[in-house]
Amino acid sequence: ADRGRFADAYAGLEKCVPILAARGVSGTLAVALYWRAFCADMLGHYEAQRDDAEQCLGLARRLKEPGIEVVALRILGLGLTRLGSYDRGVALCEQAVALARARHELAWEYNAVAALAHSLFLAGRYELAERCCREGIEVSQRLGLFVTGQAFLLGMLGDSYTGQRRYQEGIEALSNALAAFEEHGDRRGQALCLLKIGRAYLALGQTGPAGEYLQRAFPIFGELGLTAHEDMAIR
């Protein structure tokens, strides 16, 4: 999953989750459910994401595992937002941020803030998403470990700019994210930035550079098995 091969990861998790479930309630089962929900999110299986995230959240609370609860809240919030339940999805991501901050866990906070920024963007609340991205970048800098994490948030900052029709600022933020993803070999991050930069150029009516970026994006999506994104780039 960390390499962007979500289809392969999902297939493995489909085999291991039933085995873990047969052995009873455990933190390992909760973590496996989280990762399956995470991969489902990346593959566009949003109902499956919601179902696994709800089960993961229930287990985390039953086991009194706040770290798992944070990630369960964030992935459930994202899933509900993608399914159109914007207020509830954003609220769950906000709960994840509050829990992480209450525990003074920066890594948890980074993950929760990133999910909140994404949910706000999906809900069309672009100015709030922009502010949240800046908070997340500051958290990732304090951690000092998340170079691609900063790039991910820079990419979402670019999304928030383009949502506000600030396309040139969006292209600049996305280009900085693209450079970081390329430096660290994050193929999915590269492809997403290429796709988004292409879209921003299209919005500016600059079809030449748009085509160049989009042509670079869709083979990477194909390589990673992300067919929905591949089709999007081709269109």
Side-chain angles (χ1 to χ4, degrees):
D2 282 342
R3 292 170 57 199
R5 296 180 60 180
F6 304 110
D8 292 340
Y10 194 83
L13 290 159
E14 286 277 75
K15 295 177 182 178
C16 84
V17 166
I19 297 170
L20 292 168
R23 295 180 178 180
V25 172
S26 70
T28 307
L29 172 60
V31 170
L33 285 165
Y34 165 75
W35 278 106
R36 192 166 72 173
F38 179 90
C39 292
D41 177 56
M42 297 301 173
L43 294 168
H45 306 330
Y46 302 132
E47 289 84 2
Q49 173 187 355
R50 175 199 59 208
D51 294 346
D52 278 347
E54 285 178 341
Q55 190 177 349
C56 176
L57 180 60
L59 286 173
R61 288 173 170 169
R62 182 174 172 183
L63 294 165
K64 295 181 170 42
E65 290 279 2
I68 301 175
E69 184 176 354
V70 168
V71 294
L73 284 165
R74 72 177 290 279
I75 203 66
L76 179 56
L78 275 172
L80 291 171
T81 306
R82 292 193 188 280
L83 291 168
S85 297
Y86 299 126
D87 290 343
R88 186 170 174 231
V90 168
L92 288 172
C93 290
E94 288 173 337
Q95 286 180 38
V97 173
L99 178 56
R101 287 176 175 166
R103 293 281 178 160
H104 305 289
E105 292 282 357
L106 278 181
W108 299 1
E109 184 179 348
Y110 163 78
N111 282 309
V113 170
L116 177 57
H118 199 175
S119 289
L120 288 166
F121 171 77
L122 291 171
R125 303 171 190 176
Y126 303 124
E127 292 182 6
L128 288 173
E130 177 188 346
R131 189 185 313 161
C132 198
C133 286
R134 295 188 186 282
E135 290 177 9
I137 290 168
E138 190 271 332
V139 171
S140 64
Q141 288 171 341
R142 284 161 61 198
L143 274 167
L145 300 172
F146 285 89
V147 176
T148 54
Q150 291 180 41
F152 176 69
L153 283 161
L154 271 173
M156 287 202 296
L157 181 62
D159 290 340
S160 70
Y161 286 145
T162 57
Q164 297 173 67
R165 300 185 179 181
R166 294 158 60 186
Y167 298 114
Q168 202 59 55
E169 290 172 273
I171 289 168
E172 182 179 346
L174 287 161
S175 296
N176 289 334
L178 175 61
F181 284 131
E182 288 177 335
E183 181 181 350
H184 289 83
D186 188 321
R187 299 287 281 165
R188 176 179 174 272
Q190 291 174 48
L192 284 174
C193 286
L194 291 166
L195 173 62
K196 292 172 182 179
I197 293 170
R199 283 175 159 175
Y201 274 119
L202 279 176
L204 290 170
Q206 299 181 32
T207 55
E212 292 174 12
Y213 280 97
L214 293 168
Q215 284 179 343
R216 290 169 59 192
F218 78 80
I220 304 176
F221 288 131
E223 164 197 324
L224 297 173
L226 299 174
T227 55
H229 287 85
E230 183 182 20
D231 290 344
M232 200 180 301
I234 291 170
R235 286 199 301 273

